[in-house]
Amino acid sequence: MEGTGGAYRGYRDTAQVDMPMALDPRARDGAPPRATGPLAMRGARVVTPTPVQAAAAPERSPRAAAEGPIPLPAAESMPLAHFCTVERHLDEILAAVPQPHPIELAVLDAQGLLCAEEVSSQRALPAFDQAALDGYAVRADDVAGATPQAPVELAVVGESVAGAGAPSSIGPGLALKVAAGSMLPAGADVVVPAVWTDQGTVRVAVQAGPPAGSYVRRTGDDVAPGDPAVQVGTPIGPAQISLLAAVGRERVLVRPRPRIAVLSAGSELVDIGTVPAPGQVVDVNSYALAAAARDAGAEAYRSGILPSDPRRLSEVLESQLLRSDLVLVAGTFASGGFDLVQEALAALGDMRFRQVTMHPGPAQGFGRLGRDAIPVICVPGEPVAALVAFEVFVRPAIRLMLGKRQLFRRTVQAVAGQQLISPLGYRQYLHGTVMRHPDGGYVVEPVGDGTDALLARMARANCLIVVDEDVTEVAAGGLVTVMPLLLGG
């Protein structure tokens, strides 16, 4: 963490996570680096391909350059001085979200969470000397030099199976048939695999002599008493659950999943199962955002459509603040003056609505409301813009609450398969499909042109294409930053 303007300055930029960007021509030849941010821009930048990139880009007719920059709605055509940068809005959210206190869960319920305690083993693993595979427990001295041409014969004095608790022993010239995981008899110091013998039951011919200690698991070889089993910050997956069970832990302290209430605002909304009347639309945001929150690791509750009655609206918001670690509201919020939902939110605490230099969906809101100052994030009501805002602002907040070190999706540089047009001064997020190029690297193509927002096109996408604020055009074959949208990634 660095800087004074937010908790994650220089780290949280979703367009530049450890990935090189195309050079600004003004930064070449020793020129000083340009200032960043909408107020510092004096011109636009066009990303053009190098000869290698141009060769890698598939041939297709580019979109007509005469179309010009993507047209923006009136609210997005405000002077940039009235806007907030993506970084600043994200900083304020990350600086404000709480990190829930650790809780104790049954080991199976802890899957996917981060361990919040240092778990030390109270027992040795394995707890006794045991055979590592099926074969014969013998003394190494008795079988030294055995070969298929000159096998060593030993008398078989019994058999040890997994779970048999009675100890046994062997002496010189004797063998005990053993199963994987069974107790090693006293006096034996090696297990000869069954495939290296004739598998006799009374007498066995051993055809190879492995050295002492071969195919034997000694007491404490895996974990000794007092050794760390699972450390603080370790993601608990199947392997960690196996180890916790082996050392006798039924429960473990973990960083819990943040509880997130997802709400939709809009008098035009109806729920699934209701046939929309003219002018009505189905509420998809509460479903999509709840699914996205669960995919990010949260315990999400789809609380549905907010009521239009002011008193009932306030009651619903207050109840969600009491049960949640974060509240997420999707709606079309007024840029000048408050609507009913904005007034209800503002009555519960410091709630700020602002225009952010991003497209789609610059209208964003954030505040800390209620008695416990619960973070409330408001995202646009248009479904495509709502999911983009989730990726940029909400998903990193959820991962921070989970205690994850990597807050942002990893990005890659890809060759644009066609020309991309972007509005000056806005960070553009386009849904696209990214593919590996046969010659190496990645190629990406947008689904749609960014002027419309269609659910079917978004459903076909597997990435977000991120175009920086001062770039108005990326030529076919130019490099662009891509954020793959992997489930659970």
Side-chain angles (χ1 to χ4, degrees):
M1 300 182 188
E2 57 187 22
T4 57
Y8 290 84
R9 187 162 302 282
Y11 169 62
R12 70 282 180 260
D13 186 346
T14 56
Q16 301 185 49
V17 183
D18 298 325
M19 297 301 300
M21 300 295 289
L23 277 177
D24 185 344
R26 292 169 292 177
R28 294 175 182 165
D29 302 323
R34 62 179 174 84
T36 59
L39 298 180
M41 289 185 290
R42 295 292 181 269
R45 184 157 59 97
V46 177
V47 178
T48 55
T50 65
V52 174
Q53 294 161 4
E59 290 187 10
R60 60 169 61 237
S61 57
R63 296 191 172 275
E67 292 178 359
I70 294 175
L72 297 174
E76 298 180 43
S77 302
M78 296 168 55
L80 287 175
H82 297 287
F83 278 66
C84 168
T85 64
V86 172
E87 287 83 0
R88 180 181 171 188
H89 190 61
L90 178 58
D91 273 342
E92 291 186 10
I93 293 173
L94 295 183
V97 293
Q99 297 195 11
H101 296 295
I103 61 173
E104 192 175 64
L105 293 178
V107 291
L108 201 54
D109 294 332
Q111 183 172 0
L113 301 176
L114 295 185
C115 185
E117 64 171 313
E118 193 83 13
V119 179
S120 298
S121 179
Q122 302 302 312
R123 59 182 67 165
L125 293 179
F128 52 86
D129 294 347
Q130 60 182 229
L133 44 67
D134 295 344
Y136 295 83
V138 301
R139 294 175 359 120
D141 289 345
D142 288 343
V143 296
T147 65
Q149 294 75 28
V152 174
E153 288 199 1
L154 303 172
V156 179
V157 295
E159 183 174 358
S160 177
V161 296
S168 56
S169 62
I170 62 171
L174 303 178
L176 185 76
K177 191 173 183 180
V178 292
S182 64
M183 188 176 292
L184 192 73
D189 57 6
V190 67
V191 173
V192 178
V195 294
W196 294 357
T197 72
D198 66 355
Q199 303 185 35
T201 55
V202 178
R203 295 188 66 82
V204 61
V206 177
Q207 301 167 356
S214 298
Y215 309 109
V216 171
R217 301 189 189 118
R218 293 295 181 186
T219 302
D221 268 358
D222 195 0
V223 179
D227 282 355
V230 180
Q231 296 180 325
V232 174
T234 301
I236 296 180
Q240 289 72 33
I241 290 174
S242 172
L243 182 55
L244 288 166
V247 301
R249 290 296 295 267
E250 294 182 276
R251 305 180 70 80
V252 63
L253 202 64
V254 294
R255 295 286 294 271
R257 300 183 190 280
R259 300 164 300 169
I260 296 183
V262 182
L263 300 149
S264 289
S267 58
E268 76 282 8
L269 299 177
V270 295
D271 209 343
I272 293 180
T274 301
V275 178
Q280 294 181 325
V281 293
V282 174
D283 167 31
V284 300
N285 280 329
S286 64
Y287 288 91
L289 294 172
R294 290 177 182 176
D295 180 65
E299 187 176 328
Y301 304 95
R302 193 196 72 85
S303 300
I305 304 169
L306 283 168
S308 56
D309 176 70
R311 181 177 177 181
R312 178 63 183 142
L313 172 61
S314 296
E315 290 175 352
V316 170
L317 290 173
E318 289 175 1
S319 67
Q320 298 306 321
L321 291 172
L322 291 174
R323 70 183 293 210
S324 308
D325 299 307
L326 186 150
V327 175
L328 178 58
V329 184
T332 302
F333 302 106
S335 58
F338 279 2
D339 64 10
L340 185 63
V341 176
Q342 288 172 289
E343 290 177 358
L345 290 169
L348 296 171
D350 181 19
M351 190 75 203
R352 300 181 183 179
F353 291 90
R354 55 171 47 140
Q355 297 288 314
V356 178
T357 53
M358 65 182 291
H359 184 267
Q364 307 287 335
F366 175 69
R368 299 183 68 180
L369 309 184
R371 180 186 60 194
D372 298 320
I374 300 300
V376 176
I377 301 176
C378 292
V379 298
E382 196 285 308
V384 173
L387 281 176
V388 169
F390 180 92
E391 286 294 328
V392 177
F393 302 118
V394 186
R395 193 176 190 276
I398 291 174
R399 291 183 64 82
L400 179 62
M401 297 170 81
L402 284 165
K404 302 287 189 181
R405 297 184 181 92
Q406 180 68 35
L407 302 187
F408 308 106
R409 292 189 187 271
R410 299 190 182 279
T411 60
V412 297
Q413 295 287 289
V415 173
Q418 66 185 63
Q419 182 191 40
L420 304 175
I421 301 295
S422 183
L424 176 63
Y426 295 82
R427 182 172 300 172
Q428 172 91 324
Y429 295 89
L430 293 167
H431 282 91
T433 54
V434 62
M435 303 153 284
R436 284 191 177 275
H437 193 274
D439 297 332
Y442 299 91
V443 175
V444 67
E445 294 186 357
V447 289
D449 58 7
T451 62
D452 51 12
L454 301 179
L455 294 177
R457 289 181 178 178
M458 180 176 68
R460 295 197 300 270
N462 65 1
C463 72
L464 283 176
I465 305 169
V466 186
V467 184
D468 217 355
E469 290 90 337
D470 63 343
V471 175
T472 57
E473 178 187 348
V474 178
L479 276 180
V480 69
T481 299
V482 170
M483 184 194 306
L485 300 176
L486 305 176
L487 288 178

